[in-house]
């Protein structure tokens, strides 16, 4: 409880709980079902811990909490109004679920007992459900609707613990309007936090972990595929240490910062060659193992050597829901349930011990490291040559945009907080990502509308407060949640928004083209229903309408650098958002 203040109402108690658990922000779109909680945040809590972050749509509010959690490593908090607000928020909650992001979504309902003369909002009956959490139950770790103030206290502690226990994810708590608005008759105990910490993650069977290490040491061409390993700030170091100890090439799937893109053992981009040569593959925190070893072409192309052993370590078995995520079943030699953040340091110790008396393995590791480094350098050199080939193309090529940004950002501390699909590929190819704070982007859930909210949330994180946050914002994604620009402007978030505007939902254009060729139908019709023109959206003018410095559209690559520099100056010197609308080639 803050200072000497004493809670008078149920909603005051909830605000004390938010402060006790360290929440700095509450992202909201207002609603009458939590008017009492809003009043308590502002008038009882002084709009501090948490401070209200106003969004114009619940999908943005939850994305802000998601981006904050991803960048800070702390749980994010969002509040949604009744049934209708939760329906708006559901896409963003699903994104957080797939991304294993720890967020707490608070909701409100009712009153569930509509009898009596209490002055509740007129629409409360049609916006009330029993139970509201059922709407998102299939993609949250836990939901609960307490019926008493002691239940409020206990469920908050439990929600916090569940959200942060591996595998992390969103939780939903719903508060009845009457419970919020009634005076407190008897004060419940608030001292729960220290005794309800997140559960200790499983480290895995030590004998099996050692067997994994022995297999990697015993084979000529071991490979690691890294999925969500870097979800914890320090985990990437454990992966790098393990890979270096055994000299194993790493395929970073790019959904987290798992390994520096400049590291000589990184072989992202050479998946087909590396997996084709592999005799044993270790998949770490891989969300979808089937698509980690296959590629979609005319048919499903298996990349992995059919004689290779396949080992899986992670917590994915704990995220299974009968409702969704219908993945292909992949045969593995064995699969271990373990938190890689705990298992990898132990496996590194095992490897060091085993290598002490194994000179032949040490020689093999040295040779493999040299071979992998050559492949790493060749792959990056090919990307550089391709970027040079596309340098003067108009509209602006994605490689040129990324390289101009790399050159502009290099002397400064910066963080990439969002990318679109096509841009993400080139960003990971050409940017020198050397530390986790430089890469807080990604949305494996794939729900559109995520980018602007997640970028704002990441920029609010203290860990990025001294960095230039960069949002490589696709046009189709932003059109879902344009009002996020208002929130960025209102908060004066120092955010460089660079539009990668191909004026299309281009991924679907590719699908249409592929299908037309397969069915021998007119390929020229592939743009119908996918092109976002006419009219051509003027994102610079829209941003200016929200009070944001903006330039564009930039289609001539010769005009790109100047526009980026001017926007960058606004963000760096004035600590304000700025937007550059760049018309780009689609891939």
């Amino acid at each position: 409880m803050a200072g000497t203040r004493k809670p008078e109402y149920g909603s005051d108690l909830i605000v004390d709980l938010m402060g006790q658990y360290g929440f700095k922000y509450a992202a909201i779109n207002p609603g009458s079902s939590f008017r009492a909680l809003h009043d308590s945040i502002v008038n009882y809590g002084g709009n501090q811990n948490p401070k209200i972050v106003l969004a114009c749509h619940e999908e943005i509010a939850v994305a802000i909490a998601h981006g904050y959690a991803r960048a800070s490593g702390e749980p994010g908090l969002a509040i949604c109004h009744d049934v209708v607000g939760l329906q708006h928020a559901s896409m963003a909650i699903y994104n957080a679920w797939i991304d294993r992001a720890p967020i707490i979504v608070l909701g409100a309902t009712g009153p569930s007992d509509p009898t009596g003369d209490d002055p509740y909002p007129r629409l409360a009956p049609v916006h009330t459900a029993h139970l509201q959490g059922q709407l998102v139950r299939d993609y949250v770790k836990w939901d609960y609707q307490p019926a008493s103030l002691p239940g409020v206290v206990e469920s908050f502690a439990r929600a916090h613990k569940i959200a942060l226990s591996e595998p992390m994810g969103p939780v939903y708590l719903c508060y009845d309007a009457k419970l919020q608005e009634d005076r407190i008759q008897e004060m419940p105990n608030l001292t729960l936090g220290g005794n309800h910490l997140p559960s200790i993650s499983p480290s895995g069977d030590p004998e099996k972990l050692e067997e994994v290490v022995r297999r990697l040491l015993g084979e000529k061409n071991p490979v690691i595929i890294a999925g969500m390993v870097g979800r914890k700030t320090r985990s990437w170091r454990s992966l790098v240490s393990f890979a270096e100890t055994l000299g194993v090439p790493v395929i970073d799937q790019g959904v987290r910062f798992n390994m520096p893109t400049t590291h000589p053992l990184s072989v992202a981009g050479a998946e087909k060659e590396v997996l084709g040569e592999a005799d044993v593959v270790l998949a770490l925190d891989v969300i979808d193992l089937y698509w980690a070893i296959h590629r979609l072409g005319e048919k499903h192309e298996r990349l992995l050597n059919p004689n290779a052993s396949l080992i899986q370590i992670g917590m994915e078995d704990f995220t299974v829901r009968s409702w969704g995520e219908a993945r292909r079943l992949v045969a593995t030699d064995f699969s271990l349930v373990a938190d890689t953040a705990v298992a990898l340091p132990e496996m590194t110790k095992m490897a060091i011990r085993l290598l002490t008396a194994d000179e032949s393995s040490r020689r093999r590791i040295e040779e493999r490291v040299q071979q992998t480094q050559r492949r790493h350098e060749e792959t990056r050199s090919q990307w550089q040559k391709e970027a040079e080939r596309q340098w003067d193309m108009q509209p602006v090529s994605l490689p040129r945009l990324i390289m101009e940004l790399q050159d502009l950002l290099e002397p400064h501390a910066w963080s990439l907080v969002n990318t679109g699909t096509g841009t993400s590929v080139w960003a990971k190819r050409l940017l020198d990502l050397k530390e986790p704070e430089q890469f807080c982007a990604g949305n494996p859930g794939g729900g559109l509308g995520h980018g602007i909210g997640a970028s704002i949330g990441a920029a609010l994180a203290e860990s990025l407060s001294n960095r230039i946050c960069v949002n490589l914002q696709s046009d189709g994604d932003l059109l879902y949640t344009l009002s996020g620009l208002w929130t960025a402007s209102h908060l004066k978030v120092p955010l460089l928004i660079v539009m990668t505007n191909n004026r299309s939902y281009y991924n679907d254009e590719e699908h249409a083209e592929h299908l037309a060729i397969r069915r021998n139908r007119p390929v020229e019709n592939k743009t119908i229903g996918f092109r976002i023109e006419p009219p051509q959206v003027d994102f610079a003018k829209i941003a200016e309408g929200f009070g944001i410095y903006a330039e564009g559209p930039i289609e001539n690559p010769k005009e790109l650098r100047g526009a980026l520099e001017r926007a960058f100056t606004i963000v760096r010197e004035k600590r304000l958002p700025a937007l550059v609308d760049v018309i780009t080639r689609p891939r």
Side-chain angles (χ1 to χ4, degrees), residues 273-316:
E273 295 79 8
V274 172
L275 290 175
E277 298 167 1
D279 37 35
V280 59
V281 171
L282 174 59
L284 299 172
D285 292 321
V286 173
I287 293 177
D288 193 326
L289 189 55
Y290 182 84
W291 286 114
I293 60 173
H294 289 80
R295 186 164 60 187
L296 181 61
E298 286 300 317
K299 295 182 179 179
H300 294 191
E301 179 187 3
R302 181 181 170 94
L303 303 179
L304 181 60
N305 175 5
N307 298 316
S309 301
L310 185 57
I311 302 166
Q312 185 175 26
I313 300 179
M315 304 281 285
E316 291 307 306

Side-chain angles (χ1 to χ4, degrees), residues 249-279:
V250 177
I251 297 171
D252 184 350
Q253 292 189 306
V255 291
R256 282 289 192 276
F257 181 90
N258 296 314
M259 193 173 215
T261 57
T262 55
H263 196 285
L265 288 177
S266 173
V267 291
E271 289 87 351
K272 184 173 183 177
E273 295 79 8
V274 172
L275 290 175
E277 298 167 1
D279 37 35

Side-chain angles (χ1 to χ4, degrees), residues 280-553:
V280 59
V281 171
L282 174 59
L284 299 172
D285 292 321
V286 173
I287 293 177
D288 193 326
L289 189 55
Y290 182 84
W291 286 114
I293 60 173
H294 289 80
R295 186 164 60 187
L296 181 61
E298 286 300 317
K299 295 182 179 179
H300 294 191
E301 179 187 3
R302 181 181 170 94
L303 303 179
L304 181 60
N305 175 5
N307 298 316
S309 301
L310 185 57
I311 302 166
Q312 185 175 26
I313 300 179
M315 304 281 285
E316 291 307 306
D317 287 349
F318 287 180
T319 68
V320 173
R321 291 287 194 275
S322 59
W323 172 79
E325 300 182 46
R327 302 171 190 158
R328 294 286 297 272
L329 183 63
V330 178
T332 58
D333 287 72
F334 59 84
S335 179
L336 283 76
V337 172
D339 182 352
T340 55
V342 182
L344 281 171
E346 294 305 311
M347 293 169 71
T348 303
K349 293 176 186 176
M350 294 172 183
I352 292 171
R353 171 173 55 81
L354 292 169
L355 281 168
T356 302
D358 190 347
E359 186 177 347
S360 63
S361 289
R362 294 200 302 270
R363 284 199 303 270
R364 191 160 57 243
I365 287 170
E366 289 176 6
E367 293 172 2
R368 189 163 59 231
V369 167
Q370 293 174 3
Q371 179 184 352
T372 304
Q373 182 169 356
R374 286 194 296 271
R375 174 168 274 158
H376 168 84
E377 291 171 351
E378 288 169 4
T379 302
R380 285 179 65 86
S381 175
Q382 290 170 6
W383 290 335
Q384 290 284 339
K385 289 177 181 177
E386 179 59 22
E388 291 168 5
R389 186 186 72 82
Q390 296 187 32
W391 190 256
D392 292 320
M393 288 184 177
Q394 189 169 326
V396 177
S397 71
L398 291 174
R400 170 141 189 188
L401 174 59
I402 298 300
M403 291 188 73
E404 293 279 21
L405 275 170
Q406 170 73 45
D407 189 53
L408 179 64
L409 296 169
E410 191 171 13
H412 308 277
W414 56 274
S415 177
L416 183 61
V417 293
N418 178 58
T419 63
T421 304
T423 319
S424 177
V425 172
W426 280 107
K428 285 174 282 190
R429 286 175 176 177
L430 297 175
L431 288 178
D432 292 339
L433 300 170
K434 300 177 181 179
E435 54 188 2
E437 291 80 10
Q438 288 181 318
F439 185 76
C440 297
N443 178 26
L448 291 181
H450 172 80
I452 187 65
S455 299
I456 293 167
L460 290 174
E462 190 173 341
S463 57
L464 303 186
S465 60
N466 293 319
R467 292 177 176 265
I468 301 295
C469 291
V470 180
N471 171 11
L472 292 174
Q473 178 64 63
S474 59
D475 52 330
D477 181 84
L478 184 58
L479 285 172
Y480 272 67
T481 47
L482 262 175
S483 62
L485 294 173
W486 179 89
T487 300
S489 180
H490 174 69
L491 294 175
K492 300 181 178 179
V493 175
L495 179 64
L496 178 58
I497 305 164
V498 180
M499 298 297 304
T500 54
N501 182 359
N502 58 28
R503 293 173 173 157
S504 173
Y505 288 108
Y506 188 74
N507 181 58
D508 289 286
E509 273 195 48
E510 291 179 313
H511 283 294
E513 180 176 357
H514 175 79
L515 205 57
I517 292 171
R518 209 167 87 188
R519 294 179 170 182
N520 194 27
R521 291 177 175 176
V523 173
E524 58 269 23
N525 290 336
K526 69 176 184 176
T527 63
I528 297 173
F530 305 130
R531 278 275 161 185
I532 311 175
E533 60 177 348
Q536 295 176 347
V537 181
D538 191 335
F539 287 100
K541 190 170 289 185
I542 292 170
E544 288 172 349
F546 286 115
I548 293 175
Y549 175 87
E551 293 194 31

